[in-house]
Each structure stands twice: as structure tokens, then as C-alpha cells.
Amino acid sequence: MSTTLDTTTSDDLGVPAARRRSAELERQIRERPGRFRALTGDRPTGRLHLGHYFGTLHNRVRLQNLGVDMMVLVADYQVLTDRDVADRLAEHVEDLVLDYLAVGVDPDRATIFTHSAVPALNQLLLPFLSLVSVAELGRNPTVKDEIAHSSQSAVSGLMFTYPVHQAADILFCKAGLVPVGQDQLPHLEVARIVARRFNSRYGPVFPEPEALLSAAPLLLGTDGGKMSKSRGNAIALAATADETARMIRGARTDADRRITYDPVARPEVSSLVLLAALCLDRDPHEVAEEIGGRGASALKAVVTDAVNDHFAPIRARRAELALDRAHVRRVLRDGNERANSIAEDTLTEVREAMKALY
């Protein structure tokens, strides 16, 4: 599969430029999806939630179904970036794979693999670190934000080198596309810098990956804050109908009885309206208008029914898959085998370019 893309000559990965380029990439994907490989993934720190589904998972399945070669990383090593130990890691890895399979990620068309099972990927981190300066890593806004919000008393070196490890994730398989939110553009720029500098120093090996900016809607947690696994304010994909109803009943709203969709002035109410609209595949303004003056209780009833109806088949499939954990492990074993083959080939190319084959 060719990973060569029609790339722009500008290094500008600012949001407006990235959005224009994403629109062009979407056009190219529709015309010739088989020429693209994309890398995406998650850290296994707990079950995925509705924000993940509408933010990334739905898009992964869309790209897979279009014919893009999807590489889906279970980033188990990166769990250690902001914690001292990786608690219940095996359980979280399997739960993550169950969520992937339940929403429609197809292991026959997507490669699901783990960091720790692909040594050649991680070995690329060493030469890649030589291509970036400490100052460049220190200026990375995403790293600075992660460090500021870390629960650790001292930040580990793994957190500091996180963007370069992500560059290895992307470049080991020569992924030309990386679906991201705009907050992840600085990380992707590190991968582009690493690819460019390696090619300049040692010879052409890597494509410069491009951002496929997500148009994902912003869903708030039930407490009105950022939806997060660790904050207990998110509805898990695996939640039961009763658990979902209970969380939505407790969701924060406001004192205005008339329901409107105004994300700026009424973020909590609007997030609930948007969640119902996404599940119903409708315009949020129409959903809000139908509820009108019936208040927050009516809104929450609409959201609960919409979520439970939309996710019922996904939850049923997940429950069925969970009965056969051996199948989950087979999916990972097969994905790890393919990822290892790709990584070994890339590492050989890197060593040849560096004249480090002895």
C-alpha cells in the first residue's frame, strides 16, 4: 500500500490551515481510500464513554468502512506517563478492545495492537529523540498542559518524551493520516518534524503525517465539566440502561425552564440537547424546540430514551463479546503480529539509512 500523499509544502499546521487541508484530504479519501493508512488509538485507563464514541470511535469506523487502512493502538505503555503504576492494565486493555469491537471496529479491516507487544516500534524512540531538542519538548503546549494537570508529585521522563513516543507510533507504520482534535496538532507537528529531520539527515524513509481534523461535537460531563473517565462524569459505552438513566437524571442543567440550544450561554443544557440530537440523528435546535417549555425533566427523559435506544445494539454486542475473552486476546494477538511485521520492516529501513546494520 502506498503511503505517499499529496502534501502541502507549508509547515503551517495552524487550525485554519489544518481545517482546509482536512477538507481536501476527505475528498481524496472518498476518491481513493485504499491509498491511505491512518493511526489512532487510546490509553487503556478505563472503559470508553459516549464522548469517545461521538468524538473518535464513530469516525474510525467510518474511515474503516470507506476503505482506509486503520491502525488502532492500545497505548498501554503511555498509561505510565502520568501515574506511578498501571493498575488493572490487562483488564483495561481487554475492556478497550471490547469497546472497539462493539462499536464496529473490524479486526479483518483494522489492526488493533498494543505498545508493549511491538518492540521495534519502541526502539524507534531512541533515534527519534536525537532529532528534537529539550527546549522543543519543553515548549510543547500539550505537554505543558498535561504536566500542569498531572496527579503525580514529580513528572516522569516518559511524560516529557510523550510527543516523540507518539511520533514513533505514527511513523513506525508510515501512517499518512492521524485523526485528531485541534488540541493535538502540536503533538502531530513533532511527528512531522521528526520525519522531516530524519529524512534530511539519513535519507527518505518517512512520509510527513497529516492531521485529519475531527469535527467532533463537544459533549460535557454530567457535572458540566470536561467529560472524563477519571472524573466519574461520563456515561460508559458499557453502562446499563438503568445506569444511564441515573446519570442523566443527575446531570447539571440551569434554572431556565424553556429548553434552547445555545452552547455558549447554556452549555450544560445544550450538551444534553446535543447528545439527544446525535443519538437521534437530528438537528439540536429542532430537538430543543420540541421540548420547549417542558423543562429539564422532559429534556432528561428525551436524552435517556435516545441514548438507550441508540446504544442498545452496541451494548448487546459488547455483552456477547465479553463472554469470550479468548476471542479478544486472539484479536490482539493477530493485530500484534501484523504490527510487529510492519515495525520490523520499518526498523530495518531506519538502520539501513543510519548505516547501523552490522
Side-chain angles (χ1 to χ4, degrees):
M1 183 202 72
S2 171
T3 56
T4 302
L5 299 176
D6 298 333
T7 57
T8 56
T9 57
S10 173
D11 293 335
D12 180 15
L13 267 182
V15 175
R19 291 207 180 281
R20 289 192 297 272
R21 182 58 183 154
S22 289
E24 171 59 22
L25 287 169
E26 287 284 0
R27 184 190 65 77
Q28 293 183 31
I29 290 168
R30 289 191 296 272
E31 291 178 354
R32 295 178 59 196
R35 68 193 286 259
F36 291 97
R37 173 177 284 164
L39 185 285
T40 183
D42 304 276
R43 296 196 307 163
T45 55
R47 291 181 175 181
L48 299 181
H49 52 66
L50 304 195
H52 291 120
Y53 177 81
F54 289 112
T56 62
L57 298 178
H58 188 268
N59 190 43
R60 293 175 197 177
V61 174
R62 178 186 73 90
L63 291 171
Q64 164 199 279
N65 292 344
L66 286 172
V68 173
D69 181 10
M70 296 296 297
M71 305 290 293
V72 184
L73 168 64
V74 178
D76 53 348
Y77 273 168
Q78 288 178 357
V79 171
L80 298 170
T81 55
D82 61 354
R83 59 201 70 201
D84 297 322
V85 293
D87 292 328
R88 299 163 55 200
L89 186 58
E91 175 188 342
H92 288 326
V93 167
E94 290 188 9
D95 278 340
L96 198 59
V97 177
L98 281 171
D99 286 336
Y100 289 160
L101 299 178
V103 301
V105 176
D106 183 353
D108 290 332
R109 293 182 289 170
T111 302
I112 304 172
F113 66 101
T114 58
H115 259 153
S116 58
V118 189
L121 182 165
N122 297 293
Q123 192 170 335
L124 289 173
L125 179 61
L126 297 176
F128 286 0
L129 280 171
S130 74
L131 299 169
V132 294
S133 70
V134 171
E136 285 173 321
L137 290 176
R139 286 195 300 267
N140 186 289
T142 310
V143 169
K144 292 196 313 191
D145 182 68
E146 291 287 348
I147 289 174
H149 291 87
S150 173
S151 59
Q152 290 179 299
S153 57
V155 174
S156 73
L158 187 58
M159 171 68 85
F160 200 65
T161 60
Y162 189 23
V164 184
H165 201 182
Q166 285 196 326
D169 298 339
I170 296 164
L171 297 177
F172 96 93
C173 61
K174 301 185 180 180
L177 293 178
V178 185
V180 293
Q182 66 184 51
D183 61 324
Q184 289 294 305
L185 286 174
H187 273 331
L188 182 59
E189 183 60 14
V190 173
R192 289 169 59 83
I193 288 170
V194 167
R196 192 158 54 244
R197 290 178 182 172
F198 187 95
N199 293 344
S200 175
R201 187 173 299 183
Y202 299 110
V205 172
F206 298 109
E208 289 186 35
E210 298 203 73
L212 192 64
L213 272 188
S214 169
L218 175 62
L219 288 172
L220 300 179
T222 53
D223 60 358
K226 179 181 178 181
M227 190 175 290
S228 169
K229 289 178 283 189
S230 62
R231 297 181 184 181
N233 65 356
I235 301 168
L237 290 177
T240 66
D242 287 343
E243 289 169 341
T244 298
R246 184 172 63 251
M247 291 201 71
I248 293 173
R249 278 198 304 271
R252 181 177 298 174
T253 54
D254 60 34
D256 189 342
R257 183 170 178 80
R258 174 159 291 279
I259 301 303
T260 58
Y261 182 66
D262 186 346
V264 175
R266 306 183 69 189
E268 295 95 345
V269 166
S270 296
S271 183
L272 287 172
V273 172
L274 178 59
L275 177 55
L278 289 167
C279 291
L280 295 168
D281 193 22
R282 295 185 59 194
D283 182 271
H285 295 281
E286 293 178 0
V287 173
E289 182 65 25
E290 283 188 5
I291 299 169
R294 291 186 290 139
S297 61
L299 168 62
K300 292 177 179 180
V302 169
V303 176
T304 299
D305 288 345
V307 170
N308 282 334
D309 287 349
H310 184 86
F311 286 97
I314 292 173
R315 290 166 172 173
R317 175 162 170 74
R318 193 187 189 284
E320 180 182 354
L321 289 164
L323 298 174
D324 187 4
R325 293 275 175 161
H327 173 66
V328 173
R329 290 188 285 273
R330 283 194 300 272
V331 167
L332 273 177
R333 185 174 64 246
D334 292 346
N336 288 338
E337 184 177 341
R338 179 169 186 248
N340 266 298
S341 177
I342 294 169
E344 290 286 355
D345 288 346
T346 301
L347 182 59
T348 297
E349 283 187 71
V350 165
R351 294 179 65 199
E352 286 175 344
M354 298 177 69
K355 297 181 171 49
L357 279 177
Y358 315 118

